[in-house]
Amino acid sequence: MTQDVEMKDRTAPSNSVSSTGPSTLHQLKEIASLIETGSYTKEVRRIVRAIRLTMALRRKLKVPVLSAFLDFALVPLSEAHSRLSAYLPKEDEHDMEVDTATSADQAPVKHLVPELEIYCYLLVLVFLIDQKKYNEAKACSSASIVRLKNLNRRTVDVLASKLYLYYSYSYELTGHLAEIRGNLLGLHRITTLRHDELGQETLLNLLLRNYLHYNLYDQAEKLRSKAPRFEAHSNQQFCRYLFYLGKIRTIQLEYTDAKESLLQAARKAPAAARGFRIQCNKWAIIVRLLLGEIPERTVFMQKGMEKALRPYFELTNAVRIGDLELFRSVAEKFAGSFSTDRIHNLIVRLRHNVIRTGLRNISISYSRISLADIASKLRLDSANPVADAESIVAKAIHDGAIDATLDHSNGWMVSKETGDIYSTIEPQIAFNSRITFCLNMHNEAVRALRYPPNTQKEKESAEKRRERQQQEQELAKHIAEEEDDDF
C-alpha cells in the first residue's frame, strides 16, 4: 500500500492514469501504424520492430490504456473487440472516462488488417500474464490460436511465433501443459505446410519443452530427429533448441555432444537472459564432470551467477578431490536444489567418477598399494570393500583411466611409471580441437552477418538490364533487316 501511495505522489496530483496513459497510448498507436505499414508493404522487419517496441512497453500497460487502444485499433462491437475487452479486468469508471476523452480526438481504424488484430491478442495476453491472471490468459491464448489457424500471411508469422510461445507458457503456469500437446503438434504440421520456418522452430522448441517437462526423452528425440531441418531464423529459438538438445544427449549418455550443445547455448544466449545462462551452465558443469573434466573456477565466478552455482562449485570440489564421503555430504546438503533443477539422477551417476578420480590420485601417489588400503582411502562402505576395490581397480585399468597392473595373488595394485606426455600425440589432439573450435566459431559468425540492402546496386542492375534489353531489340531489328535484304 505504501508503494502505491508513493507512486501516486510522484505523478500529477489530478489523476495518475491521465498523466501516464496518453504517452503509452500514443506509443501504442505509433506501433499500430508501423504494423499497418509492414502489412501493406509486406516488410517483416517492421513487424519485428513493432514487437521489440512492445516488449519495452509491457511494464507500462494499464487497463484504461489497453481499453482505449482496443477502441482505436479494432472496430467497435466487433467479435474480436468484444472478446478482448471481456478478458480485461474492470477498472474505475472515472479512469475509463479520462482515457476515452484523451483518445477521442483520433478516429479508430476502419480498415482493419489481420496483423493488427493478432497484435491486439498478443498485447492483451502479455498483460494478463504480467498481472498473473493465468486462467484469463489461457482463454485468450486459445482464442488467438483459433484465429491464427485461419490466417496464412508471412507478415503474421512473427506475431504468431510470439503467440505460440505465450500460449504454451500460460498453460505451463497453470499446470496443464500436457493438454495442448496435440494442438502444438497440429500447429507444427500447419506451419510446415505453410513453409513458416520461424513458426516451425518455435513450435519444435515448445514441443521439446513439453516432452522434457514430463521426462519423455525418447519421444522428444524421435520428434527432433524427424523434424524438418532448416537454417535458424531466431537466435533465441536456436539457443533454446541447443539447450534441449544438450539435455536429451545427456540423458542418452552422449556427453561429448551434450557438452558442445550446452556450451554453445550458453555462449550464444543474450547477456540479459541470466536465468537461461545459469541453467545452461548447471547442465554443462555436470556433463563436464561426467566426462572426467574439472571446470575452471571462472565458470562459477561469473557475474550474477555465484549464488546459483554455489552447490555445483562444492560438488565439483568433491569430485576433484575424489572424496566419496564429501561427495555424499554435498549431495545430501543440496538435494533440494538438485531436485529443483531436475538434475538429481545425474548426481547419482557422478559417484563412479568420484571413485575413479580418487583411484587416479592414489595410483599417482603410490607405486604399490594394497586393495584394503585402497578401500579405506576411497571410503567404500559395502559389505566386502576389498572385493569391491578389486573390481573397481580392474574396471579402471580396462577403461584406461589408470596405468597400473593388478596382482591378485598378493592383493595389491602396482602403478606403472608415468612417461612424458609431450612424447605422445595428446598435445596435438588438444591443439587440433582448439583450432577446430575457433574455425567453427568464425564460420558461424560469418554466416550470422547481416547487411543492409544496397539500393545503389539495385538501381545500377536495373539500368544495365534496360540497356541489355535495348541492345537485344536493336540487334534483333538489325538481323531482321538483313534477312529482308537477302530475300
Side-chain angles (χ1 to χ4, degrees), residues 17 51 60 97 102 112 138 207 211 222 260 275 286 377 384 477:
V17 179
I51 294 177
K60 301 179 182 180
E97 290 175 359
T102 56
L112 177 64
K138 280 176 55 178
L207 284 166
Y211 284 125
K222 288 179 181 178
E260 294 179 0
I286 296 297
K377 288 182 178 297
N384 192 355
K477 184 186 291 185

Side-chain angles (χ1 to χ4, degrees), residues 322-351:
D323 192 342
L324 195 59
E325 189 65 28
L326 179 60
F327 174 76
R328 289 196 196 98
S329 63
V330 172
E332 293 175 359
K333 180 181 178 182
F334 299 105
S337 299
F338 296 144
S339 298
T340 303
D341 296 334
R342 309 182 72 176
I343 214 166
H344 190 267
N345 58 336
L346 300 178
I347 304 298
V348 177
R349 298 184 189 178
L350 277 176
R351 182 179 181 275

Side-chain angles (χ1 to χ4, degrees), residues 8 10 13 21 38 95 133 196 221 226 280 372 379 401 414 416:
K8 289 179 180 179
R10 290 177 184 174
D95 293 339
K133 298 183 180 297
D196 177 12
E221 173 59 21
K226 296 180 183 298
C280 290
R379 299 182 184 181
V414 180
K416 297 181 180 179

